[in-house]
């Protein structure tokens, strides 16, 4: 049923989504290509009919990987080559993640604006197009105007910190008020007390601290004994242990004991000398000095996590040591900020406790001045009354303010979105007068026509660390996508994009692009750094986005008073798919290639552009994708990626040793096989950011000076012109060399895959060789590269050394 005929917030399944996508794809195909069709092929694990494309649909998908501006630059070059090869015109789907989404969203919006005219032409015989010049000018998109942008960014970040403090204040002050109420004087800190009542007469233990904890521990012991006797009854032994009421009750009781122990630890710490909690005390100085260090470490959390991951994929001692150091830094930063809050609570509590046995001691300086000059407020003379009243008033004020704050208003999402939109979303023009700039392009997701470019799928991660049903495999996330027609995931269902846009009024193409690239956040799906989760949330290092849950959209109301307190769920990692709102972050937090959604739609040909940071060329994201595809979709993928790794490593080692290398013609790419659940076959064309020695001289020169190229850290989002061009040129070189048939490609052994030649023949039919220039190419078709022996340098063309 058309989306316009559905009730607001109506939840649909993937089959309805797929049908709508195919209708849009067929409208674009027109009479130039045969229409795609769908057919039922059994049922899925839930009993729902499984729709798959018909045999002659030949869906073609293009995937652009994550990797920040590095990926955007590499994918830009690849897109230029793919346009010349006719791939973009024939692609039915465009699936993007993170940095690939920067340039992918720019492409989709620009193709709509120009009615299909590719905006980033290479301009072989003229100057670059204004669109290409614009993206190059904004390669340093976070600080395009230099220092003034740094000031703006810092101000916005500081505002978010203040908002977080307002959210945290009611809880912090509330705990301090309860502590002061329970312990009014220093003498009280050495007595067992419960809500201000002295329980010393009822203390049967030879100690004065942890008395309540001891009582609860005895009760817990008695419960466990009773439970043991109960389980010994013959008729009960056959009952299931898990899940069970007894195990749940005992587990909750154990938590109560631990919580009591933590609470009773506080008076022990507060009973230290008062000087321990003055502004110039040693403990305060230490925590204050370490907190900025922890904050800086937290800002680089994603990069530290990448170091830890890389250390598990290499045998090089230097990299392994760096990984261990990064892990220690993560745990250090994860402990300091919570420690800072704990010390702040102790300071607030100590300020309201009289240092001697007199419960009516005066308010501390300089607060006593306010009390002495307040008319009719003599009841505030005592420290206890004054401090508690002050804390309660501030807590109530912050609570009222908190209810007016919105969950996405003060995170870094809006800043990130606006910077990206300025760089990548604009109205293309063929000519532009000097000093003029392209006009910004504001476009809603639902306004993408789908008629002038591939059907765009923008991939994000749905964070569900606390899910009861969807997170049994430890992924911490699910696949969540945005498109012109639907938004959602399998666990939340899908709803019409227009309906979501009504509830999230700021949601547009720029927002979806920013959400897909929200790499730094408190929760990061499968990449979540659990020790740092509270720290990242408190420090407002949050690019993620809170969106009304698709399954709850039909119950939408104009205002959700408690939505902003979802930051508590962020801090505690209790996110799931059942809440009124869900938390979305970088699609790379579950799958960084954008391939999953194309495999789910059973594309016949998939072209993947991989520009992620992979210094070891371990193809980590690809291997993760292979695992997901096998488990979730019963799909097997065979790709000879090791051939790319070996050539790239050889070139890198030669450059390190001699400053020079051979000039090999590939492979930058691999052509592999996809085997779907029903036995049908697909083709995977994989373009990897890699070096073979025959790149442009200025690319080779950049590599000499920056050895990490082309896998420089994603932390670097401020590219220079030279850096941006090196990646763009490499992307163009890698993709064009394949479709021009100039370069060899990593290939499957035809002895193991007898019908591999038919796959290559299909590629030859769909994408005939692009017109070349300069020296004539040696081959016209992919199948001419096919031979039973390992892929290598063509006969009669020994590798030359670069001079």
């Amino acid at each position: 049923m058309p989306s316009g005929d559905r009730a607001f917030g109506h939840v649909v399944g993937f089959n309805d989504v797929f049908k709508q996508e195919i209708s849009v794809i067929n409208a674009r195909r027109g009479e130039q290509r045969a229409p795609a069709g769908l057919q039922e092929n059994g049922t899925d694990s839930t009993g729902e009919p499984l729709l798959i494309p018909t045999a002659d649909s030949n869906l073609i998908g293009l995937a652009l990987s994550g990797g920040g501006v590095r990926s955007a630059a590499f994918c830009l070059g690849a897109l230029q080559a793919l346009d010349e090869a006719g791939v973009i015109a024939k692609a039915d789907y465009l699936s993007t993640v993170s940095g690939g989404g920067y340039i992918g969203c720019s492409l989709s919006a620009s193709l709509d604006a120009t009615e299909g005219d590719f905006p980033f032409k290479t301009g072989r015989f003229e100057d670059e197009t204004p669109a290409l010049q614009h993206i190059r000018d904004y390669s340093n998109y976070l600080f395009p105007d230099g220092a003034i942008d740094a000031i703006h960014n810092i101000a916005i970040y500081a505002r978010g910190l203040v908002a977080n403090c307002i959210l945290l204040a009611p809880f912090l002050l509330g705990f301090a008020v309860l502590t002061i109420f329970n312990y009014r004087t220093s003498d009280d800190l050495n007595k067992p007390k419960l809500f201000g009542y002295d329980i010393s007469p009822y203390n049967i233990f030879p100690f004065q601290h942890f008395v309540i904890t001891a009582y609860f521990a005895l009760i817990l012991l008695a419960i466990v004994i009773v439970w043991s006797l109960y389980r010994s009854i013959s008729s009960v032994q056959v009952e299931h242990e898990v899940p069970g009421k007894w195990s749940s009750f005992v587990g909750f009781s154990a938590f109560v004991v631990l919580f009591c122990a933590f609470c009773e630890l506080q008076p022990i710490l507060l009973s230290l000398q008062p000087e321990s909690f003055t502004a110039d005390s040693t403990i305060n100085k230490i925590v204050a000095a370490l907190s900025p260090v922890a904050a800086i470490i937290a800002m680089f959390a994603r990069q530290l996590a990448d170091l830890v991951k890389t250390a598990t994929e290499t045998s090089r001692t230097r990299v392994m040591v760096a990984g261990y150091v990064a892990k220690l830094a993560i745990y250090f930063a994860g402990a300091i900020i919570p420690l800072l809050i704990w010390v702040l609570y102790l300071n607030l509590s100590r300020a309201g406790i009289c240092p001697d046995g007199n419960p009516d001691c005066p308010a501390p300086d300089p607060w006593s001045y306010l009390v002495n000059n307040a008319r009719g407020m003599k009841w505030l003379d005592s420290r206890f009354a004054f401090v508690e009243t002050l804390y309660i008033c501030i807590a109530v004020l912050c609570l009222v303010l908190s209810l007016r704050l919105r969950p996405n208003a003060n995170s870094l999402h809006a800043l990130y979105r606006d910077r990206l939109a300025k760089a990548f979303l604009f109205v293309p023009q063929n000519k532009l007068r000097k000093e003029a700039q392209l006009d910004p392009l504001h476009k809603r997701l639902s306004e993408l026509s789908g008629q002038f470019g591939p059907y765009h799928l923008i991939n994000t991660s749905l964070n569900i660390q606390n899910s009861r049903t969807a997170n049994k495999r430890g992924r911490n996330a699910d696949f969540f996508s945005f498109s012109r027609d639907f938004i959602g995931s399998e666990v939340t269902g899908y709803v019409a994009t227009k309906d979501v846009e009504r509830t999230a009024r700021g949601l547009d193409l720029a927002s979806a692009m920013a959400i897909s690239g929200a790499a730094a956040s408190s929760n990061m799906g499968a990449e979540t750094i659990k020790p740092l989760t509270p720290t990242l949330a408190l420090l407002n290092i949050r690019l993620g986005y809170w969106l009304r849950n698709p399954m709850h959209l039909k119950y939408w109301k104009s205002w959700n008073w408690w939505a902003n307190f979802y930051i508590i769920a962020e801090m505690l990692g209790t996110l799931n798919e059942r809440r009124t709102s869900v938390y979305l972050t970088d699609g790379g937090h579950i799958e960084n290639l954008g391939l999953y959604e194309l495999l789910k739609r059973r594309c016949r040909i998939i072209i993947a552009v991989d520009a992620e940071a992979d210094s070891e060329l371990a193809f980590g994201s690809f291997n993760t994708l292979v695992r997901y595809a096998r488990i979730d979709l019963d799909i097997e993928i065979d790709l000879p990626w090791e051939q790319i790794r070996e050539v790239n490593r050889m070139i890198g080692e030669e450059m390190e040793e001699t400053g020079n290398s051979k000039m090999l013609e590939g492979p930058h790419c691999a052509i592999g096989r996809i085997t779907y659940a029903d036995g049908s076959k697909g083709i995977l064309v994989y373009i990897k950011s890699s070096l073979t020695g025959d790149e442009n001289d200025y690319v080779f020169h950049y590599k000499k000076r920056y050895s990490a190229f082309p896998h420089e850290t994603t932390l670097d989002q401020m590219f220079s012109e030279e850096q941006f061009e090196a990646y763009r040129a490499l992307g163009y070189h890698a993709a064009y060399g394949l479709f021009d048939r100039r370069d060899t490609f990593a290939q499957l052994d035809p002895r193991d895959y007898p019908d591999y030649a038919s796959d290559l023949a299909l590629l030859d039919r769909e994408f005939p060789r692009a017109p070349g220039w300069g020296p004539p190419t040696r081959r016209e078709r992919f199948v001419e590269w096919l031979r039973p022996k390992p892929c290598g340098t063509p006969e009669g063309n020994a590798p030359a050394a670069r001079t």
Side-chain angles (χ1 to χ4, degrees):
M1 142 172 88
S3 59
D5 297 335
R6 299 188 182 96
F8 175 83
H10 178 69
V11 180
V12 302
F14 177 71
N15 283 347
D16 292 311
V17 173
F18 201 8
K19 290 176 184 176
Q20 176 63 20
E21 292 172 357
I22 292 299
S23 68
V24 176
I25 287 171
N26 283 335
R28 177 173 173 246
R29 283 188 174 187
E31 298 179 355
Q32 298 179 358
R33 294 179 63 196
L38 295 176
Q39 63 185 11
E40 288 191 13
N41 184 40
T43 60
D44 61 19
S45 59
T46 65
E48 291 293 320
L50 184 64
L51 291 183
I52 65 172
T54 54
D56 57 351
S57 293
N58 282 341
L59 292 176
I60 299 175
L62 172 61
L64 305 180
S65 81
V69 71
R70 178 192 63 248
S71 177
F74 183 88
C75 290
L76 169 61
L79 287 174
Q80 291 173 322
L82 295 176
D83 174 65
E84 294 187 27
V87 172
I88 295 177
K90 286 190 174 182
D92 297 304
Y93 282 105
L94 173 63
S95 179
T96 63
V97 180
S98 191
Y102 300 173
I103 196 65
C105 289
S106 183
L107 175 66
S108 293
S110 297
L111 287 175
D112 263 8
T114 61
E115 297 187 349
D117 185 25
F118 185 72
F120 311 121
K121 296 185 184 298
T122 53
R124 293 185 172 281
F125 307 108
E126 57 184 40
D127 293 340
E128 290 182 333
T129 63
L132 183 53
Q133 292 174 1
H134 178 92
I135 289 182
R136 194 186 297 281
D137 291 342
Y138 280 88
S139 59
N140 181 12
Y141 68 94
L142 289 176
F143 303 95
D145 295 323
I148 189 64
D149 285 324
I151 295 174
H152 294 161
N153 295 354
I154 292 172
I156 292 172
Y157 175 72
R159 184 196 67 201
L161 283 180
V162 172
N164 280 0
C165 290
I166 293 174
L167 290 168
L168 185 64
F171 300 96
L172 192 61
L173 293 170
F175 289 131
V177 166
L178 290 175
T179 303
I180 296 169
F181 178 80
N182 208 38
Y183 308 102
R184 298 191 179 188
T185 70
S186 295
D187 292 343
D188 291 337
L189 294 173
N190 296 310
K191 300 176 183 178
K193 302 193 71 174
L194 181 63
F195 299 114
Y197 183 76
D198 188 359
I199 61 173
S200 296
Y202 310 101
N203 182 12
I204 64 173
F205 303 104
F207 46 82
Q208 297 299 314
H209 294 291
F210 299 106
V211 173
I212 298 174
T213 302
Y215 276 116
F216 274 109
L218 286 177
I219 295 173
L220 176 61
L221 178 61
I223 293 173
V224 172
I225 292 173
V226 172
W227 186 20
S228 301
L229 295 173
Y230 175 75
R231 285 296 302 177
S232 298
I233 300 174
S234 299
S235 60
V236 175
Q237 293 180 29
V238 297
E239 295 181 359
H240 293 291
E241 284 266 58
V242 180
K245 295 181 179 179
W246 276 95
S247 58
S248 299
F249 178 68
V250 171
F252 176 76
S253 300
F255 171 78
V256 171
V257 172
L258 294 174
F259 180 74
C260 287
F262 178 78
C263 292
E264 290 195 286
L265 173 65
Q266 309 315 305
I268 297 177
L269 298 175
L270 289 169
S271 65
L272 300 174
Q273 293 299 319
E275 291 76 14
S276 299
F277 295 101
T278 59
D280 60 345
S281 66
T282 303
I283 187 171
N284 285 344
K285 287 181 177 179
I286 292 175
V287 174
L290 292 179
S291 295
V293 178
I296 293 173
I297 293 174
M299 290 181 181
F300 300 125
R302 181 67 189 274
Q303 288 67 40
L304 292 173
D306 288 341
L307 277 176
V308 174
K309 181 180 178 181
T310 301
T312 65
E313 298 173 340
T314 184
S315 58
R316 290 190 293 174
T317 303
R318 183 180 62 182
V319 178
M320 295 175 65
V321 171
Y324 288 124
V325 172
K327 184 177 291 188
L328 287 174
I330 287 172
Y331 281 101
F332 168 79
I336 292 301
I337 300 301
L339 179 62
L340 171 65
I341 295 174
W342 193 3
V343 170
L344 181 58
Y345 151 77
L346 293 173
N347 278 274
L348 290 170
S349 300
R350 186 70 215 192
I353 298 175
C354 290
D356 50 32
N358 178 18
D360 298 320
C361 64
D365 293 330
W367 296 341
S368 59
Y369 174 81
L370 299 176
V371 176
N372 294 333
N373 289 275
R375 298 179 180 179
M377 299 178 65
K378 292 302 181 181
W379 59 277
L380 292 179
D381 283 351
S382 69
R383 174 179 297 205
F384 165 77
F386 175 79
V387 172
E388 284 223 329
T389 302
L390 178 65
Y391 286 179
I392 291 173
C393 290
I394 296 175
V396 170
L397 175 62
C398 290
L399 181 61
V400 172
L401 294 175
S402 297
L403 296 177
R404 301 297 301 179
L405 296 172
R406 306 310 302 147
N408 297 314
N410 295 292
S411 71
L412 296 178
H413 164 77
L415 169 65
Y416 187 47
R417 175 201 64 202
D418 294 344
R419 294 298 191 200
L420 287 176
K422 178 67 174 176
F424 293 98
L425 297 180
F426 44 80
V427 180
Q429 296 181 22
N430 292 327
K431 298 294 181 181
L432 192 67
R433 65 181 184 275
K434 192 174 182 180
E435 304 299 330
Q437 291 190 345
L438 295 175
D439 294 330
L441 179 61
H442 303 288
K443 198 176 190 69
R444 301 174 75 179
L445 269 169
S446 58
E447 293 174 346
L448 288 174
S449 71
Q451 297 302 302
F452 304 106
Y455 193 96
H456 197 167
L457 303 172
I458 302 174
N459 298 282
T460 70
S461 293
L462 170 66
N463 287 265
I464 49 174
Q465 288 88 333
N466 196 38
S467 173
R468 294 176 183 173
T469 59
N471 192 34
K472 295 179 180 178
R473 296 165 185 157
R475 295 180 187 176
N476 295 327
D478 191 35
F479 302 91
F480 194 100
S481 62
F482 290 81
S483 73
R484 52 152 272 169
D485 293 302
F486 290 99
I487 292 174
S489 69
E490 289 285 0
V491 295
T492 63
Y494 299 84
V495 292
T497 299
K498 290 183 178 180
D499 291 349
V500 179
E501 290 172 341
R502 283 179 57 188
T503 64
R505 300 188 186 279
L507 183 67
D508 57 8
L509 181 61
S511 296
M513 173 174 59
I515 296 168
S516 179
S521 192
S522 53
N523 291 262
M524 298 186 287
E527 305 295 326
T528 297
I529 309 171
K530 293 184 178 180
L532 279 181
T533 295
T535 297
L536 292 170
L538 290 169
L539 292 178
N540 199 40
I541 304 175
R542 301 160 57 236
L543 294 176
Y545 187 86
W546 282 98
L547 182 74
R548 183 60 59 97
N549 191 332
M551 72 169 64
H552 296 308
L553 191 67
K554 57 187 174 183
Y555 308 115
W556 170 72
K557 296 180 181 179
S558 60
W559 195 265
N560 181 3
W561 289 96
W562 304 105
N564 207 49
F565 286 103
Y566 282 153
I567 190 175
I568 306 299
E570 284 188 56
M571 292 170 53
L572 300 179
T574 58
L575 306 177
N576 58 55
E577 76 281 10
R578 302 181 304 277
R579 295 186 182 276
T580 305
S581 297
V582 291
Y583 191 61
L584 307 175
T585 56
D586 193 320
H589 291 161
I590 187 168
E591 196 269 300
N592 200 38
L593 299 175
L595 282 172
Y596 186 92
E597 295 294 339
L598 299 180
L599 292 171
K600 188 174 181 179
R601 289 157 175 81
R602 296 180 179 240
C603 290
R604 180 70 173 89
I605 299 174
I606 298 178
I607 300 169
V609 183
D610 179 2
E612 71 167 354
D614 186 10
S615 58
E616 297 298 314
L617 259 72
F619 284 69
S621 290
F622 171 73
N623 287 302
T624 298
L625 178 275
V626 170
R627 171 164 52 89
Y628 289 160
R630 179 65 185 87
I631 294 172
D632 297 355
L633 307 172
D634 195 20
I635 293 174
E636 297 284 356
I637 304 176
D638 298 290
L639 186 77
W641 54 268
E642 296 89 348
Q643 299 173 30
I644 299 176
R645 179 187 62 186
E646 296 308 316
V647 169
N648 188 88
R649 283 183 175 178
M650 179 185 69
I651 297 299
E653 291 171 359
E654 287 184 356
M655 290 188 66
E656 287 185 5
E657 293 176 1
T658 67
N660 210 335
S661 72
K662 297 182 178 66
M663 297 176 64
L664 301 180
E665 295 180 328
H668 292 283
C669 311
I671 299 179
R673 164 73 57 80
I674 304 168
T675 304
Y676 291 106
D678 63 348
S680 60
K681 307 299 182 183
I683 303 169
L684 176 59
V685 179
Y686 202 96
I687 304 172
K688 181 71 171 178
S689 179
S690 56
L691 297 171
T692 59
D694 66 334
E695 292 75 23
N696 293 339
D697 286 341
Y698 60 83
V699 174
F700 194 81
H701 181 63
Y702 184 86
K703 170 66 176 177
K704 280 185 174 181
R705 291 178 293 120
Y706 301 96
S707 60
F709 176 81
H711 300 286
E712 293 169 295
T713 174
T714 310
L715 174 64
D716 185 3
Q717 292 293 292
M718 296 175 284
F719 272 32
S720 64
E721 177 187 275
E722 179 191 23
Q723 189 176 14
F724 186 89
E725 173 58 18
Y727 281 97
R728 186 213 63 81
L730 179 62
Y732 182 88
H733 170 83
Y736 195 88
L738 176 72
F739 285 94
D740 188 44
R741 291 14 175 221
R742 178 194 65 209
D743 287 351
T744 181
F745 54 88
Q747 58 186 254
L748 298 172
D749 192 331
R751 292 170 294 187
D752 297 327
Y753 300 86
D755 55 346
Y756 187 54
S758 64
D759 292 345
L760 300 182
L762 175 60
L763 291 177
D764 283 321
R765 290 194 301 272
E766 291 289 347
F767 312 113
R769 188 181 71 83
W773 58 89
T777 57
R778 289 171 294 281
R779 290 168 171 78
E780 292 288 329
R781 298 180 300 151
F782 289 115
V783 293
E784 294 179 30
W785 281 105
L786 188 61
R787 54 185 182 274
K789 62 182 180 180
C791 185
T793 305
E795 296 85 344
N797 185 47
R802 183 184 294 272
T803 58

